[in-house]
Structures are given as C-alpha cells and as structure tokens.
Amino acid sequence: MTAEGMGPALTDQESHLLHQLLSGEDKAFETLVKTFGGRMLATARRLLGNEEDAREAVQDAFLSSFKAIPRFKGDSRLSTWLHRILINAALMKERRQQSRPTPVQINDLLPTFLPDGHRADPGPEWRQMENELTRADLRKIVRAQIDRLPAEARAVLILRDIEGLSTEETASILETTPNSIKVRLHRARQALRTLLDPHFRRLS
Amino acid sequence: MTCREFIDFISEYLNGSLSPSQNDSFTQHMEKCTDCVEYLKSFNKAIELGKMTANDDEVPSDVPLDLLDAILQSRKPSDQE
Ligand SMILES: [Zn+2]
C-alpha cells in the first residue's frame, strides 16, 4: 500500500473550483486562498514558530501551487495537496533561518537501554505541573520544546497529534507510507517526552 | 517483554493495535516494572501537552486580508506572459 492513490477523489466543489482555476478565473484564486489559507497559516505558525516566516511560507506555498495547478492530477484532496506544498515551503524556509539553533538529532532524544534491556536513565517521575504553572506558561514551555524537535519529527507530531489528521492523510501530505508515519510519530513522541523531562521531573 | 520492547510498543498499545497476546505481555510488564509505568505516564502526558498547545490556539479560520491581498497580487506578473 502506498501513499499515492489513497486520497479520496475530489469533491464536486473541489473539481468545480479546479476547473475555474485552470481557466484562470481571478475569483477562483481568491476562493482557493480564502478556503484553505487559514488552516495553512495555522500549520505554518506551529511549524515555524514566528508570524513573519509563517506568512511568507503560506505565500510561497500559494505561489507554487498556482504554478503547479495544471499539473495537479486530482489524486488527492485539494486540501492535502496544498498542505503538502505548504510543509515543503515551510521546511525550505526553516533551512534558511539564520537564527534557528542547530536542531537536536532524533536519535539523541530516544531512550537508551542497558544490555539487559532496562532503561539506562529511568529518572524521577513527572510532577503535576498544572498546580505550579498557568496554562499559558505551560503552553510556552511545551511549544519551545516542540520547536526544538528535528523538522521531520515536528511535522509528523503537528499533523498527527496536534492537528489530528489521520495516518493516511499525513502519509499523503509528507509523501511517504502510513507505516513510516507510525514509526516517525512514535519516535517524535519519545523525543518530545525526553525534551519535556527536565521541566517536569519531580525535583529531588 | 523487556523494557526496550515495552517502550517500542507504547504507541501501538495506546491506539489499540497490539494483538491480544502482545497486549497481555504489555500489561504483564506493567505489573512488575514501575519504571515503565512511569515512562508510559509521562509519554501520555507529553502527547496530552502537545495537544493542549493546539486547543488553546486562537486559530483564525480566515486568512488575514493583507496576506490575501499579497498572495493575489503576486500572482499577477506571471499572467502577463
Ligand atoms: Zn520495564
């Protein structure tokens, strides 16, 4: 089973819009941006963590999509296709961000084990942070740690756990197989847990 | 089941895709290993905290007007070809 061909066919509304886009109707481009732009901007903000880059990524993505419309085969939903272009635009932008610290390697964020199969650094349990911090502060900590995840892991975590997309749609967006998404999501969750650990472990 | 295998299986356990016998080994491991029980709790918590960042978003369903204009404007030059 591959990611291609899994997307449900276009809805009537989408094929109608696509038709208008192909004939270059101005109104159709406006409809496209108005219909899908809000969700794309939300995703770009989560991926890039700052407003200016997020907006530029959305703009880049729409420009690429306008050019690519004649080549769009309708083998996935329009929203999936646009999201794929957005993620690529955002990851491209991130690679050019000067300020961004070198991301941690995912392998360095996975738990390590002793030869007998036990975890090497079990560490103390997590405490109830809800009592110590406001929701806003808690969110700030978590966002900062999600930002430190390697880009690929961050994308999977955002699409699956934060935006709640299915494994299949995420696979189609990231152009890989559902199975690879499952593996990557599990690793991304472990990595996030590792990054949050110093903030949440019970102080001894 | 070792602790390493337990941790490898957590996501599948959480979405209910372990086979009945894998599921049994998983829960048996939990009964005798407090480290893994703690790991599972914090793993779950990490997922929940990630979700929380989305729930609190003031996600606008609309594209800001200036962004909409910028996008539609930047399409124009290529029309002249
Ligand atoms: Zn264990």
Side-chain angles (χ1 to χ4, degrees):
Chain A
M1 196 159 47
T2 67
E4 288 311 312
M6 295 237 1
L10 295 180
T11 63
D12 288 351
Q13 216 177 0
E14 284 180 328
S15 12
H16 184 66
L17 180 59
L18 190 59
H19 217 80
Q20 291 174 315
L21 290 167
L22 285 168
S23 45
E25 289 177 37
D26 284 352
K27 197 73 195 154
F29 287 89
E30 187 176 338
T31 305
L32 186 79
V33 179
K34 280 185 170 166
T35 309
F36 300 104
R39 191 183 138 205
M40 288 163 72
L41 183 58
T43 302
R45 283 180 179 139
R46 292 187 183 116
L47 267 169
L48 294 170
N50 84 74
E51 186 64 20
E52 200 189 329
D53 286 339
R55 284 179 174 228
E56 282 178 19
V58 171
Q59 185 160 357
D60 291 350
F62 273 113
L63 289 193
S64 312
S65 72
F66 294 166
K67 288 193 192 114
I69 278 166
R71 281 175 281 127
F72 176 59
K73 292 188 219 67
D75 50 6
S76 65
R77 296 285 300 271
L78 211 42
S79 58
T80 303
W81 180 70
L82 285 170
H83 236 57
R84 183 187 303 156
I85 297 174
L86 172 78
I87 303 259
N88 289 335
L91 294 182
M92 187 94 77
K93 182 150 282 303
E94 175 177 320
R95 266 178 237 126
R96 297 207 204 98
Q97 277 176 338
Q98 303 293 324
S99 56
R100 195 160 196 104
T102 333
V104 201
Q105 295 290 312
I106 190 96
N107 283 332
D108 295 338
L109 297 171
L110 300 179
T112 50
F113 297 90
L114 301 172
D116 68 0
H118 285 89
R119 195 144 55 94
D121 54 344
E125 62 187 291
W126 284 13
R127 57 196 201 277
Q128 279 299 109
M129 298 296 284
E130 283 81 355
N131 308 329
E132 297 171 35
L133 289 171
T134 64
R135 228 176 137 75
D137 286 339
L138 200 54
R139 200 171 62 218
K140 213 176 284 173
I141 294 176
V142 178
R143 281 229 170 115
Q145 299 312 314
I146 291 176
D147 262 4
R148 291 180 63 201
L149 289 172
E152 307 289 311
R154 192 173 346 116
V156 174
L157 190 91
I158 288 171
L159 294 175
R160 285 282 292 114
D161 278 348
I162 300 183
E163 301 190 354
L165 299 187
S166 69
T167 300
E168 285 70 24
E169 185 168 15
T170 306
S172 178
I173 290 172
L174 298 179
E175 297 178 279
T176 181
T177 61
N179 218 21
S180 148
I181 293 298
K182 286 181 193 163
V183 173
R184 285 200 222 168
L185 176 64
H186 184 58
R187 288 160 67 91
R189 286 167 166 178
Q190 291 180 81
L192 179 60
R193 187 220 156 268
T194 302
L195 290 169
L196 291 174
D197 190 50
H199 299 271
F200 291 146
R201 52 168 59 193
R202 190 173 293 286
L203 309 163
S204 40
Chain B
M1 182 178 279
T2 64
C3 297
R4 180 196 283 272
E5 289 166 327
F6 180 93
I7 288 175
D8 281 347
F9 281 137
I10 289 182
S11 284
E12 287 173 72
Y13 169 76
L14 292 176
N15 70 22
S17 55
L18 289 181
S19 72
S21 70
Q22 284 172 322
N23 207 71
D24 285 349
S25 321
F26 194 89
T27 46
Q28 276 164 24
H29 188 91
M30 263 193 278
E31 280 162 26
K32 60 182 173 61
C33 183
T34 52
D35 280 352
C36 282
V37 171
E38 284 310 324
Y39 190 90
L40 176 62
K41 274 196 215 162
S42 57
F43 186 90
N44 248 327
K45 186 77 190 174
I47 297 174
E48 193 187 298
L49 287 165
K51 289 188 173 146
M52 186 200 74
T53 65
N55 296 340
D56 291 4
D57 270 348
E58 333 66 53
V59 178
S61 42
D62 294 334
V63 191
L65 275 183
D66 57 336
L67 180 60
L68 173 69
D69 284 345
I71 292 169
L72 295 177
Q73 275 307 318
S74 53
R75 182 183 145 244
K76 295 292 175 187
S78 61
D79 274 1
Q80 325 279 303
E81 284 166 23

